[in-house]
């Protein structure tokens, strides 16, 4: 059975001003305790998962996995490999933030079997990096990519952000050009959203957060989604662009109904059609694992209606779109019997198009994804 594994590392050197991900600044002792608990969880739950055969993908994300000392990160990767063997062609990604790695760390990760790095660049403008609370400069991003190559990595992804306070379309252009010069295999683009409880939310409430005008943010989005394919990065998901053969197989599994097992605080799992989430509080997670308690709780079982909606939302994020055959195989009824009017309406609005046996969002549909996704919400049970 094809499946993926996710490991969550909930530590960062410093919290960014926009971030509401489950992560915090950690002490060395907390990181060591967390690593011990995570390895214990992998050893406890891993064999049951390994019984399904070798894993196809692993993703170590956060937080900032490289906020951990390499000795701890190595222990986690070695435990993972010992308990859960991966196929020889498995994709093993580690999220890396500039300013937390050097050539030695990246060489160690490569030696440990990591095949792909996802680098949190966000922008190549130092004033914007400082404004959003990143710990690094543009030069640190360049150094990270240079060291990654020297360490032997050929698959390197860069994250870029748009809609940042004080950002102009010219800033976005310069960042894209600098990113392209670094020859990544994959680029993800994210628009800033102001999340509750973050420093940016407090600034917004105080009236001091100066975001670009809506039409400028839209121009940044239009520019990014137009220019990246011209540079040879095909858009394979709403926010993701890749050179041929370099789509993130792990992330694709989230959108295409492939099971995955998550380990660590706040990690999600999707296994046997059930969704589970681990205890999010780091201390409570460590406590639970240390006392031999399984730190996951099952999320409210999804109704058939919710499963249909979610299946559609996720598949529609991808350029391949929503397969009629897969929908029918999963739910025992045709897509058109459930969504006939929705499909017709979205096609008429230019948000959806037919492609072989599937329907997919048009460029316009991807831009106004929320409108399209809302239309897939169903009334009543199925
Ligand atoms: S490095 Fe990433 S996870 Fe950590 S605070 Fe910044 S955005 Fe959040």
């Amino acid at each position: 059975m094809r499946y993926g594994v996710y490991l969550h590392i909930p530590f960062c050197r410093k919290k960014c001003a926009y971030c509401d991900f489950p992560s915090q600044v950690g002490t060395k002792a907390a990181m060591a305790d967390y690593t011990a608990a995570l390895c214990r969880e992998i050893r406890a739950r891993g064999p049951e998962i390994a019984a399904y055969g070798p894993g196809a993908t692993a993703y170590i994300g956060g937080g900032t996995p490289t906020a951990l000392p390499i000795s701890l990160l190595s222990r986690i990767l070695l435990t993972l490999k010992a308990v859960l063997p991966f196929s020889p062609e498995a994709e093993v990604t580690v999220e890396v933030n500039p300013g937390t790695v050097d050539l030695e760390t990246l060489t160690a990760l490569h030696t440990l079997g990591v095949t792909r790095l996802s680098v949190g660049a966000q922008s190549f403008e130092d004033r914007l990096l400082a404004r959003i609370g990143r710990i690094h400069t543009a030069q640190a991003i360049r150094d990270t990519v240079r060291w990654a190559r020297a360490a032997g990595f050929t698959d390197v992804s860069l994250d870029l952000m748009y809609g940042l306070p004080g950002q102009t379309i010219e800033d976005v252009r310069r960042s894209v050009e600098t990113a392209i010069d670094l020859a990544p295999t994959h680029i993800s683009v994210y628009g800033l959203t102001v999340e509750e409880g973050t420093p940016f939310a407090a600034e917004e409430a105080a009236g001091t957060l100066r975001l670009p005008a809506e039409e400028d943010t839209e121009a940044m989005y239009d520019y990014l989604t137009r220019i990246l394919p011209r540079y040879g990065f095909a858009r394979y998901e709403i926010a993701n662009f890749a050179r041929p053969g370099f789509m993130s197989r792990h992330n694709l599994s989230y959108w295409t109904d492939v099971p995955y097992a998550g380990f660590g605080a706040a990690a999600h799992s999707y296994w046997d059609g059930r969704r589970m989430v681990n205890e999010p509080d780091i201390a409570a997670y460590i406590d639970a694992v240390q006392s031999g308690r399984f730190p996951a709780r099952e999320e409210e079982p999804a109704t058939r209606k919710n499963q249909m909606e979610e299946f559609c939302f996720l598949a529609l994020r991808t350029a391949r779109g929503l397969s009629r055959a897969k929908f029918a195989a999963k739910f025992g009824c045709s897509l058109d019997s459930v969504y006939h009017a929705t499909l017709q309406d979205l096609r008429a609005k230019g948000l959806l198009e037919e492609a072989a046996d599937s329907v997919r969002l048009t460029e316009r549909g991807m831009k106004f994804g929320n409108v399209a996704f809302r239309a897939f919400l169903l009334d009543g049970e199925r």
Side-chain angles (χ1 to χ4, degrees):
M1 182 180 84
R2 203 171 130 231
Y3 68 87
V5 169
Y6 175 78
L7 304 186
H8 188 68
I9 311 296
F11 299 107
C12 289
R13 291 275 163 89
K14 170 179 174 264
K15 282 298 280 184
C16 301
Y18 56 90
C19 178
D20 74 337
F21 299 152
S23 73
Q24 63 185 53
V25 179
T27 61
K28 282 202 172 127
M31 291 182 190
D33 288 348
Y34 183 79
T35 299
L38 179 57
C39 291
R40 192 165 168 180
E41 191 197 358
I42 296 169
R43 284 195 298 271
R45 287 178 53 214
E48 195 187 316
I49 289 155
Y52 287 84
T57 63
Y59 195 102
I60 295 107
T64 304
T66 47
L68 291 186
I70 188 64
S71 55
L72 297 182
L73 202 45
S74 304
R75 198 182 307 163
I76 294 167
L77 281 159
L78 289 171
T79 304
L80 181 68
K81 280 166 66 173
V83 178
L84 270 161
F86 282 85
S87 63
E89 60 285 349
E91 174 193 274
V92 182
T93 304
V94 172
E95 282 181 355
V96 165
N97 276 318
T100 62
V101 287
D102 54 18
L103 175 58
E104 209 180 318
T105 310
L106 296 177
T107 304
L109 291 178
H110 191 259
T111 308
L112 285 160
V114 175
T115 63
R116 182 173 182 274
L117 297 179
S118 174
V119 180
Q122 319 311 357
S123 168
F124 285 87
E125 299 295 323
D126 284 345
R127 73 171 207 293
L128 294 176
L129 291 169
R131 177 69 183 91
I132 63 175
R134 303 289 297 180
I135 60 164
H136 59 87
T137 58
Q139 186 55 42
I141 308 169
R142 291 190 195 93
D143 290 341
T144 301
V145 176
R146 188 163 48 83
W147 292 327
R149 303 250 184 272
F153 286 100
T154 50
D155 194 357
V156 177
S157 175
L158 295 177
D159 288 353
L160 293 176
M161 293 183 76
Y162 65 95
L164 303 175
Q167 191 178 34
T168 64
I169 180 80
E170 203 39 51
D171 290 325
V172 174
R173 258 191 213 120
R174 265 202 306 272
S175 283
V176 168
E177 275 158 25
T178 312
I180 298 292
D181 282 347
L182 294 175
T185 46
H186 184 282
I187 295 181
S188 302
V189 297
Y190 301 106
L192 176 79
T193 50
V194 179
E195 303 292 349
E196 220 175 294
T198 61
F200 272 1
E203 283 189 42
E204 190 173 56
T208 53
L209 187 67
R210 307 258 177 274
L211 295 175
E214 215 172 290
E215 58 272 23
D216 290 344
T217 302
E218 194 178 325
M220 293 173 196
Y221 170 93
D222 288 342
Y223 170 75
L224 287 164
T225 53
R226 207 180 47 239
I227 200 72
L228 291 174
R230 284 197 203 153
Y231 279 121
F233 292 82
R235 188 181 199 179
Y236 69 98
E237 194 267 346
I238 285 187
N240 287 288
F241 299 76
R243 288 214 179 274
F246 288 100
M247 291 187 289
S248 161
R249 281 187 273 145
H250 185 83
N251 287 340
L252 261 179
S253 65
Y254 293 141
W255 305 310
T256 50
D257 210 36
V258 173
Y260 52 88
F263 297 87
H268 289 258
S269 299
Y270 174 55
W271 202 262
D272 266 347
R274 292 157 67 208
R275 294 204 177 269
M276 320 275 285
V277 60
N278 271 4
E279 167 59 52
D281 181 80
I282 298 173
Y285 166 81
I286 294 173
D287 221 45
V289 177
Q290 274 171 352
S291 54
R293 274 179 286 124
F294 187 55
R297 71 173 161 77
E298 185 160 2
E299 293 184 303
E300 185 82 3
T303 60
R304 182 174 155 80
K305 161 181 162 322
N306 294 148
Q307 285 178 19
M308 282 182 176
E309 292 166 349
E310 188 182 64
F311 186 87
C312 294
F313 298 155
L314 293 173
L316 283 170
R317 293 188 64 90
T318 66
R320 281 185 209 157
L322 171 56
S323 153
R324 286 191 161 83
K326 285 188 182 155
F327 185 95
K330 188 166 173 80
F331 297 109
C333 60
S334 77
L335 180 70
D336 296 81
S337 69
V338 182
Y339 282 113
H340 178 73
T342 301
L343 300 179
Q344 214 171 25
D345 180 48
L346 292 177
R347 270 194 305 258
K349 288 181 174 141
L351 299 176
L352 203 70
E353 64 189 6
E354 294 290 329
D357 175 49
S358 57
V359 287
R360 64 182 181 205
L361 294 180
T362 57
E363 285 291 316
R364 196 176 140 72
M366 287 215 174
K367 185 169 175 177
F368 300 106
N370 288 343
V371 177
F373 296 146
R374 247 195 326 268
F376 276 84
L377 293 172
L378 292 165
D379 294 331
E381 277 310 324
R382 299 279 148 174

